[in-house]
Every structure is written in structure tokens, then in C-alpha cells.
Amino acid sequence: MSTEAILTLQSQIAEAKLASHQLAMGKQLIVLSYAAEGTNTQQWSPASLPALKLHIAQLETELARLTGIGGRRPMYIC
């Protein structure tokens, strides 16, 4: 279990949740960049809110796997 990997995932989850909130509140475009992974940039618009929620669930699943917390797999409902 790498502390750096856990902190990176926690940061990405926080950014993605903030982006989800901003989209839900009416912002038209959100851009997330993950510097730790090079030039990994993702853009989200209100139409892609379900995909963003799926992305958050995947990040949370990876975090749970790294920390050993939680044994259930997420259910994706679109």
C-alpha cells in the first residue's frame, strides 16, 4: 500500500466530486488535470454527469482496494 498512491486517489476523488457539484449547479464545462500522471486531462459537461459519477465510483473502488477497506463492488446505475 503506497501512501503516495492513496493520497493521489483521495485528491482525484475530491476534485471529481467538486466537478460533479459544479456541473449539477449549472457550470457548463469542467476540466480536471492530474499532474501526477503527466498530461492526463479530462473534460466534463452537464451531459456527461453520469459518466463523471461512474469515474468517481471507479476511483473510490481503487482507493478501497489499496486501503483494504470495503469488500463490495460498486453498482453502476445510469
Side-chain angles (χ1 to χ4, degrees):
M1 168 175 40
S2 167
T3 303
E4 184 177 325
I6 291 171
L7 292 175
T8 298
L9 278 171
Q10 288 173 334
S11 173
Q12 290 174 349
I13 291 168
E15 288 179 44
K17 285 184 175 183
L18 178 60
S20 175
H21 174 72
Q22 289 174 341
L23 287 175
M25 298 305 292
K27 189 162 182 181
Q28 295 303 308
L29 182 65
I30 302 292
V31 178
L32 298 179
S33 296
Y34 301 122
E37 298 172 6
T39 58
N40 186 3
T41 302
Q42 295 179 326
Q43 294 185 359
W44 305 93
S45 67
S48 62
L49 190 56
L52 178 56
K53 290 184 180 205
L54 176 62
H55 177 64
I56 292 168
Q58 290 169 336
L59 290 172
E60 289 174 334
T61 299
E62 180 65 16
L63 179 62
R65 186 186 67 77
L66 285 177
T67 59
I69 298 173
R72 298 181 56 171
R73 298 186 69 152
M75 290 177 41
Y76 305 112
I77 301 172
C78 297

